[in-house]
Amino acid sequence: YRVPSTPAIAKARARLGAEPLRRLFVEVARPLATPDTTGAWYRGWRLLAVDGTCLDVADTPANQAAFGRPKTHRGEQTAFPQVRLVAVAECGTHAIIDAAMGPLAKGETTLAAGLLTQDGALGPQVLLLADRQFVDTNLWRQAATTGAQLLWRTRTNAVLPVLEGLGDGSYLSQIAAATDRRHQVAPTLVRVVEYTLGKDPGRPAAPAPYRLLTTILDPRKAPAAELAALYQQRWEFETTLDELKTHQRGPKVVLRSRSPEMVAQEVWGMLLVHHAIRRLMHQAALDHHLDPDRLSFVRSLRIVRRQVTTTGQAALPP
């Protein structure tokens, strides 16, 4: 096996385009956790999280026009255009199982709306975690129609009337969209869990309270204390993004593709490689009865790279 030259790879990539890699990702990017996977479940619900990030892309006129370039706090433009990526990941295995990308002008909630659907990763056995930037009443309703349960953080200053106090300290409330009154749509009933983290000696100010919204209205099915402890699982997605952006891609590395089509192809390729590595790690964890979090992504990545270097081609799924 002879490694193709750089020009040959570039021409082959251009002939292939982005769509085959996108379709391959759709086919293979499935949840990995089994009933024996530690840390992937809560009372029978598979734990998923949705979040977003941005990736620097090559500074070309085509990429600038397609994706846009963020501005600094001084109003100046940054060095590189950026593509926005929103994804759904399995908390217990860090496997990214659904994703959407677009220009910076398209917000995270807009991209997420294309993922949180009946045809996406959600379903009746899912508990979806999300941070406060995703709390939009219409998006909440759309995600809830899939049958999934939701546990999303909301803003501390959100107006949430107390309709009924519950025995575990949570309470029933309601949320509404700005257009509900005009369209005569009733507010959506939610349950609110409020809690405060312990005081940090390094921060003199009192810690701000956390406020979580959930579709699980019965506290017997999910007590407030358990939901408060469970929400930290959302930060597993931050670790996933670190794996993808810092270790797999390399720190401060700009995507090399010089056209929007090739940028999309490169991102789908990154997601496929990450899912393949996480699949190997999950199988290794199952074989040794370990929590997948106990395995090192960096070391797994090094093993895969050594295999690619020594064999000329990787025998990895997909």
Side-chain angles (χ1 to χ4, degrees):
Y1 178 79
R2 296 178 59 186
V3 178
S5 65
T6 300
I9 292 176
K11 291 178 181 179
R13 286 186 61 204
R15 291 194 301 269
L16 183 65
E19 182 59 18
L21 271 74
R22 186 197 69 82
R23 293 183 62 179
L24 180 60
F25 178 81
V26 171
E27 288 295 325
V28 304
R30 295 285 186 268
L32 301 178
T34 70
D36 296 326
T37 304
T38 304
W41 306 88
Y42 170 70
R43 295 197 174 203
W45 287 301
R46 184 188 302 271
L47 295 178
L48 303 182
V50 60
D51 207 348
T53 189
C54 293
L55 301 170
D56 290 339
V57 300
D59 185 11
T60 65
N63 286 344
Q64 161 75 22
F67 302 118
R69 193 189 305 259
K71 294 183 178 180
T72 66
H73 65 281
R74 296 180 178 179
E76 302 169 351
Q77 289 189 328
T78 57
F80 299 99
Q82 290 184 342
V83 58
R84 191 183 301 279
L85 176 69
V86 173
V88 176
E90 192 174 43
C91 296
T93 65
H94 295 196
I96 296 175
I97 59 176
D98 206 356
M101 70 186 82
L104 286 177
K106 188 171 285 189
E108 290 185 344
T109 55
T110 303
L111 288 174
L115 302 178
L116 309 185
T117 65
Q118 299 280 2
D119 299 327
L122 304 189
Q125 271 122 26
V126 165
L127 176 54
L128 180 69
L129 312 179
D131 206 4
R132 50 192 167 187
Q133 71 265 27
F134 288 97
V135 175
D136 172 86
T137 301
N138 291 323
L139 184 62
W140 175 277
R141 290 168 175 165
Q142 176 184 315
T145 60
T146 66
Q149 301 295 344
L150 311 179
L151 182 64
W152 296 7
R153 184 184 176 188
T154 190
R155 299 185 307 275
T156 303
N157 61 353
V159 178
L160 296 170
V162 179
L163 302 182
E164 179 185 348
L166 301 174
D168 64 343
S170 62
Y171 60 90
L172 298 181
S173 186
Q174 58 189 21
I175 57 175
T179 58
D180 281 358
R181 182 173 297 180
R182 183 168 70 250
H183 296 299
Q184 298 182 340
V185 177
T188 298
L189 186 65
V190 297
R191 179 167 154 238
V192 182
V193 176
E194 292 190 9
Y195 63 99
T196 303
L197 299 178
K199 190 172 181 180
D200 185 349
R203 298 182 179 181
Y210 274 64
R211 304 175 82 185
L212 306 180
L213 305 181
T214 181
T215 53
I216 308 173
L217 304 182
D218 187 350
R220 293 172 297 181
K221 295 182 178 180
E226 292 185 8
L227 292 180
L230 180 69
Y231 183 71
Q232 59 87 22
Q233 287 290 325
R234 195 205 70 80
W235 294 99
E236 296 291 345
F237 204 118
E238 302 297 332
T239 304
T240 301
L241 294 178
D242 179 68
E243 295 168 356
L244 186 71
K245 296 176 62 175
T246 302
H247 302 293
Q248 180 180 319
R249 182 189 62 168
K252 299 182 180 179
V253 173
V254 178
L255 300 187
R256 61 187 175 179
S257 301
R258 302 180 64 82
S259 70
E261 177 76 5
M262 293 297 97
V263 166
Q265 184 194 73
E266 192 170 354
V267 173
W268 290 122
M270 288 175 59
L271 294 174
L272 282 165
V273 170
H274 184 271
H275 195 275
I277 295 172
R278 271 293 164 185
R279 181 183 293 181
L280 288 174
M281 293 174 64
H282 177 252
Q283 187 58 54
L286 286 181
D287 291 345
H288 294 83
H289 308 289
L290 295 173
D291 187 330
D293 288 346
R294 303 295 298 171
L295 275 62
S296 168
F297 180 84
V298 174
R299 290 188 178 183
S300 302
L301 180 62
R302 289 171 181 168
I303 291 171
V304 171
R305 283 176 172 166
R306 284 199 299 268
Q307 183 179 8
V308 172
T309 302
T310 56
T311 65
Q313 55 186 351
L316 297 175

